[in-house]
Amino acid sequence: AALKADGSVVAWGNAYHGGDISKVQGQLAGGVQALHAANNAFAAYKADGSVIGGNGNRMGGIGNPWRESFAAP
């Protein structure tokens, strides 16, 4: 996964390893300020304080993306 200059996220590769973000693409279309990507997962930190995450199919699948909101410190 990669964070683009416009605040959107793109991903590529095998869905087995997290390359398919189609189920959360709308939530990753903008407003992302930071992205942390690991071997089979990612977390996108949005300007509104929410975090969009997902992982590869072998680890529970992007079919189970999550979104959480955290209060600013």
Side-chain angles (χ1 to χ4, degrees), residues 7-34:
S8 65
V9 174
V10 295
W12 59 92
N14 191 319
Y16 187 74
H17 294 288
D20 179 8
I21 61 171
S22 60
K23 293 186 179 181
V24 291
Q25 186 65 52
Q27 296 174 68
L28 300 173
V32 177
Q33 294 186 322

Side-chain angles (χ1 to χ4, degrees), residues 17 34 37-39 54-55 59 69:
H17 294 288
N39 190 28
N55 53 308
M59 306 297 286
S69 295

Side-chain angles (χ1 to χ4, degrees), residues 46-72:
K46 298 196 69 175
D48 66 4
S50 64
V51 178
I52 308 298
N55 53 308
N57 290 340
R58 76 176 214 173
M59 306 297 286
I62 196 68
N64 298 313
W66 48 267
R67 178 183 175 108
E68 295 290 335
S69 295
F70 301 93

